[in-house]
Amino acid sequence: MQIAGNIIIIIGIIFMFFGVIGIYKFKNFYSRILISGQIDTVGALTVIIGIAVKHGISFFSLKLLLLAGIILLLNPLATHITARSARLSGYLAQEQEPPPHDKKDGV
Amino acid sequence: MYIFWIIPVFLILYIIRIIIGPSVWDRLLGMNLVATKVVIIIIAFASLYELTYLLDFAIVYEIFGFISTIFISLFLMERKKGGKK
């Protein structure tokens, strides 16, 4: 039980590591928020489930699952609101350099 | 546990991103991500010392982080529009 929990936590940390890479790799704000919002939620959920597995069936893991549900519900909503606020305020993606494949067409 | 030195490294990388972030919304996104990481640290701490009541702090912190993200983004939307209404 303990080892399984540890393995799940390590997988969650690997997801978070990809989230951090995602933030620095993408130059465009909208692609960055898409990637980091999703991966961060998944990483957090995996770590929480891993800790819940480490504690087996108890009030602790029940409360952890409640927190996992709340994170699952709120995080995507927060990311959506941020992106929507950026979009409605006219923060156009063209301000950054366009994605590499466009350069070939001379756009 | 090993969580306590991996997660702060991610936190520092997020904070660097918040400082660099070209636009205000990058900072808002970074704030939301940092809030989630802090929740993870609270949970790891609670699981290490078997303190069940700490999880309530994590839930409340997550909800307040979410609410703050909502109102900051709403404020930014009105400010950028320059109140053309």
Side-chain angles (χ1 to χ4, degrees):
Chain A
M1 189 67 91
Q2 293 289 340
I3 302 151
N6 278 335
I7 290 170
I8 295 176
I9 289 174
I10 289 168
I11 294 171
I13 287 174
I14 291 169
F15 280 149
M16 283 190 204
F17 180 66
F18 287 143
V20 172
I21 292 179
I23 271 198
Y24 281 99
K25 181 175 171 304
F26 293 98
K27 296 294 169 275
N28 185 358
F29 164 71
Y30 290 107
S31 51
R32 190 182 310 147
I33 191 171
L34 169 68
I35 294 300
S36 62
Q38 288 169 358
I39 289 190
D40 174 59
T41 314
V42 168
L45 281 181
T46 321
V47 168
I48 286 173
I49 290 167
I51 294 177
V53 164
K54 271 182 87 161
H55 282 273
I57 310 295
S58 67
F59 277 118
F60 196 92
S61 48
L62 277 181
K63 210 177 267 190
L64 268 178
L65 292 183
L66 170 70
L67 184 69
I70 285 176
I71 283 186
L72 185 64
L73 186 69
L74 292 190
N75 247 338
L77 208 52
T79 316
H80 163 70
I81 284 165
T82 315
R84 184 173 175 273
S85 136
R87 185 73 191 92
L88 287 187
S89 318
Y91 178 62
L92 298 177
Q94 283 77 20
E95 280 162 5
Q96 293 94 26
E97 36 92 12
H101 63 272
D102 282 353
K103 286 204 175 69
K104 145 157 83 34
D105 315 335
V107 166
Chain B
M1 282 166 61
Y2 48 87
I3 284 185
F4 289 115
W5 53 268
I6 293 180
I7 301 285
V9 169
F10 293 155
L11 272 178
I12 292 165
L13 291 172
Y14 281 137
I15 287 167
I16 292 172
R17 184 72 234 180
I18 288 176
I19 292 166
I20 293 172
S23 75
V24 182
W25 291 283
D26 287 306
R27 297 192 173 96
L28 193 58
L29 168 70
M31 187 201 79
N32 189 18
L33 296 177
V34 164
T36 314
K37 292 299 170 283
V38 167
V39 164
I40 298 288
I41 288 180
I42 293 174
I43 291 168
F45 190 79
S47 85
L48 196 61
Y49 295 108
E50 289 292 328
L51 303 170
T52 310
Y53 59 87
L54 277 186
L55 292 182
D56 309 336
F57 297 148
I59 291 173
V60 169
Y61 188 83
E62 176 70 26
I63 291 174
F64 279 166
F66 170 68
I67 288 175
S68 65
T69 307
I70 289 183
F71 284 116
I72 291 173
S73 59
L74 283 179
F75 166 72
L76 285 177
M77 228 170 6
E78 296 311 318
R79 190 170 63 90
K80 279 289 179 179
K81 259 188 216 153
K84 292 194 191 64
K85 283 183 283 303

